[in-house]
Amino acid sequence: MEEEGSAQGLFSTPYLCEIAGSVRGVTYLSLLYDIANLLSITADVKDSLDKVLMLLAERLHMLQGTITLVSPQSGELRIEASYGLKPAERSRGHYVQGEGIIGHVVQSGQPMYISNVSEEPRFLNRTRSRNLSKSDISYICVPIRLNRQVVGALSVDRLLTDPAQLEEEQQLLFIIAMLLGYAAWEAQRKMDEKNAVPGRPKGFIGSSEVMQRVYAQIMQVSHSQTTVFIQGESGTGKELAARAIHEASSRSERQFVSLNCAAIPESLIESELFGHERGAFTGAVSARKGHFEQADGGTLFLDEIGELSLMAQAKILRVLQERSFERLGATVPIHVDVRLITATNRNLEKMVAEGTFRRDLYYRLNVFPIVLPPLRDRQDDILPLAHYFVQRFSEQAHREGVRLSLAAMDMLQRYDWPGNIRELENAMERAVLLLGQQSLILPQHLPQSMHVFAEQDQEGGQAQKRNTNATLQEHLDELEKACIIDAMHDCHGQIVKAAEVLGLTQRILGLRLKKYNIDYKEFRRKKP
């Protein structure tokens, strides 16, 4: 694997002159001419990017190719043009900066090639379009720039070849990426707009298929006045979904009022919901509006509604039927226009059968149900969420360059997340705090519960293993190798610094490098 530190020399006349006299040089120059001509005459930006990839497939014998762009809104990287990918494979092509080869190229602005993808642990195969265990593929990825700003990356798969050929084609692709700059920028400006119709509501992270269905439901129900019932385990983002519905509705200019029913004592719940007059009970020194009244014209979100008593349930049913209520201690009805969204992590159908939840209220609430999946059922979203939280907590701590190691990412994806997104958020906050002066999150920075789970999974044979026939020692070696590669990359091949980061002596690290056949020179950045 090699990197180039600068564009200087790649787009230079000497390089073009050097190859111009060869057969390949004639092919390369003809390809550059055709790409430049295509970009100048094709009005549709998206169409021009697809046609460039088709030209690369024809002239360079490319197996697959992608153009991945940085979302201006979220900063996420998404495949916007591709060759050789099925729609489902392409839909999985989303990354965060610094993640995998594409994320590294976009973050660093440096091109990179891999001689054999099956031997490179940082190669994620996020699209799942390759069989890495049987792969004979080389890979090239170069940044796409415009006005010194990296807007995305161009990447290609080709049949296994020697480093000299890869370096030459990397230089060619770097020049092609320079030609793509303006078209990529135009496509980048439209990508969030394009994804806004079926795309993610504000505040959500992740593009897994199961969440795409949730996003579609949120957008579908937002423009009506229908009562919404959100189900899901604790920590799956039920309040976030309720806010998204409110903000996309015609009520968005009015109040969004939220109440966690489980957090209010039963003796106070009626006052919280409906308010009270002065002197209604001991301690009521002044009149107070309840949550229904505060949400007039807007949306009221009642979380954990399954915790309400039967008496409170009856009063909520009356408000839904009559659109009015009385404050505690008052006799004059107050009329309200409130959209009600409720949520629970309990099985209300079972509660209805047991007689602990009113059947008539259940039917009034369950008009439009939305089920938020647990994090373990949206594996593709774990790393984007983790990177988002790492970035957020790093900014709060005034830290730069903090990223997840491959070993840590592997552990995150293997864990079953009983606490869902809230647990992941807490784990990333803790990891950033434990980093000290380091910038690489390693497995030792993750909670002990994750280590216990990994050990139990290994013993039970239930882990999502890359090699189902591998022994425990082979998995430990894999994680150790990933940690060393991450440290060597982060320290640019400086053994002394890498040993300090890993907590090893230089001698021990040297033995580990030899054991895993890791060449420190591969991580030294070439000078332009």
Side-chain angles (χ1 to χ4, degrees):
M1 179 179 64
E2 299 286 346
E3 296 182 21
E4 295 291 345
S6 169
Q8 185 178 352
L10 296 181
F11 199 62
S12 62
T13 302
Y15 169 67
L16 293 176
C17 292
E18 181 182 342
I19 67 170
S22 65
V23 174
R24 284 203 306 269
V26 173
T27 301
Y28 291 172
L29 290 174
S30 174
L31 175 61
L32 290 172
Y33 174 83
D34 288 343
I35 288 175
N37 186 54
L38 184 153
L39 293 171
S40 67
I41 64 174
T42 306
D44 188 311
V45 174
K46 174 66 174 62
D47 189 41
S48 69
L49 296 179
D50 287 330
K51 287 181 177 178
V52 167
L53 292 176
M54 291 183 66
L55 277 175
L56 293 178
E58 293 170 3
R59 308 287 182 86
L60 297 181
H61 308 293
M62 178 182 75
L63 302 175
Q64 290 182 15
T66 65
I67 293 175
T68 307
L69 302 179
V70 182
S71 163
Q73 184 176 35
S74 67
E76 182 186 43
L77 313 179
R78 296 199 297 268
I79 293 177
E80 290 297 306
S82 64
Y83 173 86
L85 294 183
K86 299 175 183 177
E89 294 170 340
R90 176 171 164 169
S91 68
R92 291 192 285 265
H94 50 86
Y95 315 82
V96 296
Q97 295 201 28
E99 180 187 14
I101 303 302
I102 291 177
H104 170 73
V105 167
V106 170
Q107 187 176 66
S108 67
Q110 299 173 359
M112 175 184 293
Y113 68 75
I114 301 171
S115 298
N116 190 335
V117 297
S118 64
E119 298 175 355
E120 172 50 57
R122 283 189 292 175
F123 190 79
L124 300 180
N125 193 27
R126 176 62 55 75
T127 61
R128 302 181 211 154
S129 58
R130 314 164 184 90
N131 184 346
L132 295 187
S133 63
K134 301 178 180 179
S135 178
D136 56 352
I137 297 171
S138 296
Y139 182 79
I140 307 171
C141 185
V142 298
I144 302 174
R145 289 191 179 95
L146 184 69
N147 299 329
R148 300 183 180 180
Q149 179 72 33
V150 177
V151 297
L154 166 65
S155 61
V156 303
D157 289 21
R158 65 162 350 270
L159 288 175
L160 206 64
T161 189
D162 60 274
Q165 177 73 13
L166 285 172
E167 186 164 356
E168 185 175 284
E169 291 188 3
Q170 176 182 281
Q171 292 173 338
L172 174 68
L173 288 172
F174 194 93
I175 296 173
I176 292 172
M178 299 279 282
L179 295 175
L180 289 175
Y182 184 77
W185 176 73
E186 284 285 347
Q188 183 194 41
R189 289 197 305 140
K190 299 177 181 179
M191 63 190 294
D192 289 316
E193 176 183 331
K194 179 192 71 176
N195 285 278
V197 177
R200 294 175 308 207
K202 181 180 178 182
F204 279 89
I205 303 293
S207 303
S208 61
E209 292 181 13
V210 65
M211 286 306 294
Q212 289 287 355
R213 291 193 290 272
V214 171
Y215 301 155
Q217 286 181 302
I218 289 175
M219 298 308 296
Q220 182 182 3
V221 77
S222 294
H223 303 297
S224 70
Q225 301 299 318
T226 303
T227 300
V228 181
F229 180 45
I230 304 174
Q231 297 168 276
E233 296 178 6
S234 180
T236 51
K238 296 187 287 293
E239 182 169 349
L240 184 63
R243 286 185 181 276
I245 293 170
H246 170 75
E247 290 176 4
S249 73
S250 59
R251 297 173 176 265
S252 59
E253 298 299 321
R254 304 300 294 271
Q255 283 269 45
F256 175 86
V257 180
S258 175
L259 177 66
N260 186 336
C261 300
I264 307 298
E266 185 177 346
S267 59
L268 297 178
I269 192 68
E270 189 173 349
S271 173
E272 290 292 324
L273 289 171
F274 309 115
H276 59 258
E277 295 292 343
R278 179 180 178 182
F281 53 84
T282 303
V285 296
S286 61
R288 180 179 180 275
K289 289 183 178 181
H291 283 66
F292 269 100
E293 198 170 348
Q294 294 173 32
D296 188 24
T299 303
L300 175 60
F301 173 59
L302 297 181
D303 197 6
E304 306 300 351
I305 195 167
E307 305 298 325
L308 290 178
S309 66
L310 289 171
M311 181 178 294
Q313 294 173 31
K315 294 188 176 183
I316 288 177
L317 178 63
R318 178 171 176 258
V319 177
L320 290 175
Q321 292 172 337
E322 301 180 9
R323 297 291 177 180
S324 66
F325 60 90
E326 294 90 32
R327 291 181 183 174
L328 286 178
T331 57
V332 179
I334 298 174
H335 295 273
V336 290
D337 173 23
V338 173
R339 181 182 194 172
L340 187 63
I341 301 177
T342 59
T344 185
N345 61 5
R346 302 183 64 178
N347 187 335
L348 290 194
E349 288 187 1
K350 183 179 179 182
M351 293 180 66
V352 168
E354 294 171 347
T356 56
F357 199 88
R358 293 182 63 104
R359 185 180 300 274
D360 46 5
L361 178 59
Y362 173 71
Y363 290 134
R364 290 300 298 263
L365 299 179
N366 195 32
V367 178
F368 192 95
I370 295 177
V371 179
L372 293 183
L375 190 53
R376 60 182 172 274
D377 290 346
R378 39 184 302 206
Q379 283 282 322
D380 290 346
D381 294 337
I382 291 175
L383 291 184
L385 282 162
H387 285 288
Y388 168 78
F389 291 130
V390 167
Q391 182 179 7
R392 194 179 83 187
F393 292 122
S394 298
E395 290 175 353
Q396 291 177 5
H398 306 291
R399 298 285 301 274
E400 294 183 359
V402 176
R403 62 188 181 89
L404 289 160
S405 68
L406 289 170
M409 287 192 282
D410 183 70
M411 187 172 285
L412 293 177
Q413 289 188 298
R414 292 172 186 263
Y415 189 53
D416 69 347
W417 299 108
N420 295 295
I421 299 171
R422 188 178 296 120
E423 183 182 7
L424 175 59
E425 180 180 12
N426 293 338
M428 294 303 95
E429 182 177 17
R430 176 183 184 273
V432 172
L433 291 174
L434 290 176
L435 273 179
Q437 298 301 314
Q438 300 179 41
S439 60
L440 188 66
I441 296 176
L442 298 170
Q444 56 262 38
H445 298 128
L446 299 178
Q448 183 62 29
S449 59
M450 296 182 63
H451 293 269
V452 172
F453 177 85
E455 292 170 3
Q456 292 175 343
D457 248 8
Q458 291 281 3
E459 294 172 0
Q462 299 174 359
Q464 299 175 16
K465 301 174 182 175
R466 292 174 182 165
N467 180 0
T468 56
N469 298 319
T471 65
L472 175 59
Q473 186 58 52
E474 287 172 330
H475 281 291
L476 293 174
D477 287 345
E478 181 188 46
L479 291 177
E480 183 178 50
K481 180 180 178 182
C483 289
I484 292 172
I485 289 174
D486 277 335
M488 293 300 293
H489 174 269
D490 199 49
C491 299
H492 311 304
Q494 300 296 324
I495 295 178
V496 175
K497 292 182 180 179
E500 184 179 349
V501 167
L502 292 168
L504 302 174
T505 64
Q506 295 179 46
R507 176 179 173 278
I508 294 297
L509 179 56
L511 291 173
R512 293 293 188 275
L513 292 174
K514 184 177 180 180
K515 173 184 177 180
Y516 298 118
N517 195 27
I518 300 172
D519 185 357
Y520 71 92
K521 295 178 183 178
E522 293 183 350
F523 301 91
R524 297 280 177 92
R525 292 181 175 174
K526 291 184 177 181
K527 295 182 179 180

